[in-house]
Amino acid sequence: MTLSADRLAALDAFILDLNRASAAAILPLFRAGHGLEDKAAGKNLPRDTHAGFDPVTEADRGAEAAIRQLIAERFPEHGVIGEEYGEDRPDAEFVWVLDPIDGTRAFISGLPLWTTLIGLRHQGRPVLGSIGQPYVGEVFVGSAQGSRLVAGGTETPIRVRECATLTDAVIATTDPDACFDGAERGAWLQVRAASKLARLGCDAYAYAMVAMGKMDMVIEAGLKAWDIEAAIPLLEGAGGLVTNWRGEPVGPNGGQMVVTGDRRPLDEALVSLRRSAK
């Protein structure tokens, strides 16, 4: 079944409702008592890797619960895949893919770089996505109908910018020491050396900056579906794209990923990234 423009518009409005619900659960706990737990505790994982510390807070769980409740009330036939509470009807026609707080490390550090990621699949394909940062009052929303920034009661269309070469590109990743294995880190360092400027620690907020035309590329690895699916419609609606490290579409399970505005620096970066593609 084709997703009609009217149906997509209704779901677009609903994704803003979901962002409001998650914000109401999260904001009272930001820079406050957020009930930090380490999901990796007791698992004997190495402390020098991303997996060695896996934080979760009451805000993560409360926000996902609030989003799930609203989906169940409004669209009980829809499925949900979320970081905190797992899968519910993942083969439904419509499936919401949720990361209530992407960037929990930033959240517990008091840095407003965390975001709420909400994506929607229709028949297995990402068709709608939002990246929300409620502390600064921003929601980036995108689909085949285009992408926009919703902030301060106004809606502003957004578009990726042109970037002719990798040497002109502003790129980002979250933490190359923690998130990349040895070969992946080597590939990242090659791309970074060729770029104009690299920024670290922005998590999914960097995806929104590419869609907005402020950055040019984000390179990540080891992602889950909820880490990336919201970005795919947002970037495509803004004129960009999301691929894996081979330059192919990202599958339903995450993995290695590149968000890019202009295709030209991506082609250059893939020369290095393909050597470490999985």
Side-chain angles (χ1 to χ4, degrees):
M1 295 176 60
T2 301
L3 183 59
S4 70
D6 287 345
R7 188 74 182 276
L8 182 58
L11 293 165
D12 182 290
F14 180 60
I15 208 171
L16 294 177
D17 291 340
L18 295 179
N19 275 275
R20 284 187 281 269
S22 65
I26 294 170
L27 287 178
L29 302 178
F30 182 50
R31 298 179 179 172
H34 45 59
L36 174 66
E37 296 179 27
D38 182 3
K39 290 188 284 188
K43 295 182 180 179
N44 197 31
L45 296 170
R47 299 298 298 181
D48 60 345
T49 68
H50 182 74
F53 175 56
D54 192 6
V56 64
T57 71
E58 293 176 10
D60 294 83
R61 291 172 173 149
E64 185 169 324
I67 295 170
R68 284 175 176 265
Q69 180 178 350
L70 196 53
I71 293 169
E73 291 172 356
R74 194 82 59 87
F75 298 108
E77 73 280 10
H78 287 194
V80 181
I81 298 171
E83 180 176 14
E84 304 305 331
Y85 295 110
E87 297 184 350
D88 177 20
R89 286 166 293 177
D91 297 323
E93 179 183 2
F94 290 95
V95 179
W96 296 90
V97 184
L98 313 174
D99 191 347
I101 299 181
D102 181 272
T104 302
R105 290 165 178 77
F107 182 86
I108 65 177
S109 302
L111 301 172
L113 292 173
W114 52 274
T115 56
T116 296
L117 304 183
I118 304 175
L120 178 64
R121 295 177 186 173
H122 178 240
Q123 297 180 338
R125 184 175 64 88
V127 294
L128 177 66
S130 71
I131 298 178
Q133 213 313 311
Y135 187 74
V136 298
E138 296 176 337
V139 182
F140 300 85
V141 185
S143 70
Q145 302 299 314
S147 296
R148 68 195 191 281
L149 167 61
V150 181
T154 64
E155 299 193 2
T156 306
I158 58 175
R159 190 78 182 168
V160 301
R161 66 185 179 188
E162 292 187 1
C163 181
T165 68
L166 187 56
T167 56
D168 295 326
V170 177
I171 70 171
T173 194
T174 298
D175 185 344
D177 293 329
C179 299
F180 296 147
D181 64 23
E184 290 171 338
R185 187 170 184 273
W188 156 259
L189 289 174
Q190 288 180 345
V191 177
R192 178 175 182 171
S195 70
K196 180 169 68 175
L197 174 66
R199 307 305 300 159
L200 307 180
C202 301
D203 294 287
Y205 195 72
Y207 307 162
M209 293 300 97
V210 175
M212 195 179 185
K214 303 302 180 184
M215 302 179 75
D216 301 296
M217 184 182 298
V218 185
I219 300 171
E220 301 284 8
L223 301 185
K224 305 298 185 183
W226 49 76
D227 295 314
I228 188 58
E229 288 213 11
I232 295 173
L234 176 67
L235 264 294
E236 291 177 350
L241 68 158
V242 181
T243 77
N244 63 21
W245 284 23
R246 292 187 175 89
E248 303 163 342
V250 175
N253 299 313
Q256 298 169 322
M257 179 278 308
V258 186
V259 162
T260 189
D262 196 311
R263 178 80 204 201
R264 291 171 290 179
L266 171 65
D267 290 336
E268 293 182 67
L270 289 174
V271 173
S272 297
L273 298 177
R274 282 195 182 100
R275 301 190 186 108
S276 302
K278 297 177 181 178

